[in-house]
Amino acid sequence: MWDSILFLFFSTVEAFSLYFLIMCLFRFRWEEHAWQALVLVLLINLQSFILRNEFQLGGIMPIVTIFYFILFFAIFVRIPLGFSIILTISGYVIFGVVQTGLAILFFGSIGEAQATDSNGYVLQLASGSVIMILSWLFYRTGHGFTFELHRLRFKFEDIMVVLLIILFFIGISLLMFYNEIYINILFFTAISAYLLYYATRKDREND
């Protein structure tokens, strides 16, 4: 029980700092969507815990996380889909560079940082803290990237987002079913339903 709480806490700090980094880097108001981001992060981390500790399938989680963050920015922040992809991958790469640097600084190598759970938790906390502090300073000093987002939006983009959620859910559910990880299908169902609800709700609000 204690292990799962620690895993969820430090993973949430790590993932939320990625959200914070992207929002500050591209000069969006991070607090406007903070609670929706926290819900998404907690759902992702719950299924990550199961995949890593019960089924040794943690390797697929970075892809899952990136995909759901892309959808999150497209649905909640109303960033055009193509730009959401660029924005998410850019933020993920920056986060990865910072975390790698901290791993080498603290532990001497990435392998050593991953050698024990405690090392991993220290790295997650340090990475999240450093990223959030630097992102906040970057934002407060007026730096960042801004774009006229409405010009970058494709026609029927909201329909494309909904279709992507459905197709991804079907694909990942088939993968889980094939590996007999039935409980994880519930988490993917919850995340997909969460995103679909807000995708259709935002679409109605814009009509």
Side-chain angles (χ1 to χ4, degrees):
M1 181 65 179
W2 185 241
D3 288 341
S4 61
I5 292 173
L6 287 175
F7 177 88
L8 289 175
F9 174 76
F10 290 108
S11 295
T12 298
V13 171
E14 181 182 47
F16 188 80
S17 68
L18 174 61
Y19 160 80
F20 192 84
L21 164 67
I22 294 171
M23 293 293 281
C24 290
L25 184 63
F26 294 93
R27 301 203 59 78
F28 295 108
R29 295 179 61 85
W30 69 269
E31 64 273 14
E32 289 185 359
H33 309 285
W35 76 265
Q36 294 101 327
L38 276 174
V39 171
L40 179 66
V41 164
L42 284 171
L43 287 171
I44 290 173
N45 288 335
L46 279 170
Q47 67 181 177
S48 176
F49 179 78
I50 294 174
L51 287 175
R52 289 174 189 271
N53 293 276
E54 302 296 331
F55 301 99
Q56 290 74 51
L57 287 173
I60 71 169
M61 285 312 301
I63 298 173
V64 171
T65 300
I66 289 172
F67 183 80
Y68 277 132
F69 262 94
I70 289 170
L71 292 176
F72 175 87
F73 287 114
I75 293 169
F76 290 97
V77 192
R78 302 301 293 168
I79 298 172
L81 184 59
F83 188 56
S84 295
I85 295 172
I86 297 172
L87 174 150
T88 302
I89 293 175
S90 298
Y92 200 86
V93 169
I94 293 171
F95 185 92
V97 170
V98 172
Q99 190 169 67
T100 299
L102 289 173
I104 295 172
L105 178 65
F106 289 166
F107 305 105
S109 68
I110 297 174
E112 187 63 28
Q114 298 173 339
T116 64
D117 288 342
S118 59
N119 285 0
Y121 296 151
V122 169
L123 181 60
Q124 286 178 311
L125 182 61
S127 301
S129 301
V130 169
I131 285 290
M132 292 184 73
I133 291 170
L134 292 178
S135 299
W136 184 81
L137 290 173
F138 191 79
Y139 182 86
R140 292 294 294 175
T141 53
H143 294 88
F145 304 96
T146 57
F147 301 89
E148 294 186 45
L149 297 179
H150 65 281
R151 295 186 177 182
L152 301 173
R153 189 175 296 279
F154 299 114
K155 193 174 183 181
F156 306 120
E157 189 163 295
D158 292 326
I159 296 174
M160 290 170 57
V161 169
V162 171
L163 287 175
L164 275 175
I165 296 172
I166 294 172
L167 290 173
F168 184 78
F169 169 70
I170 292 173
I172 204 72
S173 294
L174 288 173
L175 176 64
M176 296 299 105
F177 185 81
Y178 177 78
N179 287 280
E180 299 183 351
I181 313 176
Y182 305 118
I183 189 171
N184 222 268
I185 295 177
L186 296 177
F187 286 105
F188 281 110
T189 301
I191 296 175
S192 298
Y194 177 65
L195 292 173
L196 278 171
Y197 170 74
Y198 278 99
T200 54
R201 178 178 168 180
K202 292 284 184 181
D203 192 30
R204 288 197 300 269
E205 287 176 355
N206 291 332
D207 289 340

